[in-house]
Amino acid sequence: MKVKLLSALLASSILLVGCGSDNDDVTEPPVVVPPPADDAIDIDEASAIVMKLASFDAATGALTFSLQDADEKSISKATDYDIYYFGYPDPSSPSTNAKAWKRWHVTQSYKCDSSADEECVGVLTETAIKGQYTFEATDLDLDSQAAAGALALYKVAIQIHGALASNEIELIEAEE
């Protein structure tokens, strides 16, 4: 008996909820979604720069990263940089050189200083999303600086400069 009573109550509540007004004269105004606020600031106004690497292609040196200030606002119009690529031998392979207590490495650097009259090495481009950047390392060739097949580990260090600040530089290993 209780099951029949419960079924009847559920059926009647579904019918009541399902009934609506047939008055089609009322129209709802369209919902206007405002565009997202542009919280990007110019790099020369940033008192702190935080760089987050999104991708690093060891073979080509291609980088994708984002820049933000201490308040997590996107930083746009970055042009000045120091970018260093490093190539290391396989860390698990022993050295045949008895004096090799330090691991050898090869490097190649890319720099741009817009205040100097020198041409920039490499291409830094801000994407359509403010604060997102790509970097193309033109003519990157770490392998030519070492014996054939000697390099097994690749790292990059990126420093972006503004008028008031630069990001902390750190060595970042390429993902395999």
Side-chain angles (χ1 to χ4, degrees), residues 64-162:
T64 305
F65 58 91
S66 63
L67 298 176
Q68 293 181 331
D69 70 352
D71 297 327
E72 297 185 359
K73 290 184 180 180
S74 298
I75 297 176
S76 65
K77 300 181 184 175
T79 57
D80 296 349
Y81 54 83
D82 291 317
I83 299 176
Y84 302 93
Y85 292 91
F86 296 84
Y88 296 90
D90 184 354
S92 63
S93 68
S95 175
T96 57
N97 184 350
K99 294 184 179 182
W101 57 275
K102 289 186 177 179
R103 280 291 190 178
W104 62 268
H105 64 275
V106 294
T107 63
Q108 192 166 340
S109 63
Y110 294 83
K111 297 182 180 209
C112 186
D113 182 358
S114 59
S115 64
D117 289 334
E118 299 173 10
E119 188 173 323
C120 294
V121 181
V123 180
L124 179 66
T125 307
E126 187 168 9
T127 66
I129 302 170
K130 291 194 184 268
Q132 303 288 321
Y133 294 86
T134 60
F135 180 77
E136 296 174 39
T138 53
D139 302 325
L140 178 66
D141 190 10
L142 292 173
D143 291 319
S144 69
Q145 300 176 38
L151 298 180
L153 181 65
Y154 297 91
K155 297 183 180 184
V156 66
I158 306 165
Q159 190 166 39
I160 306 297
H161 307 287

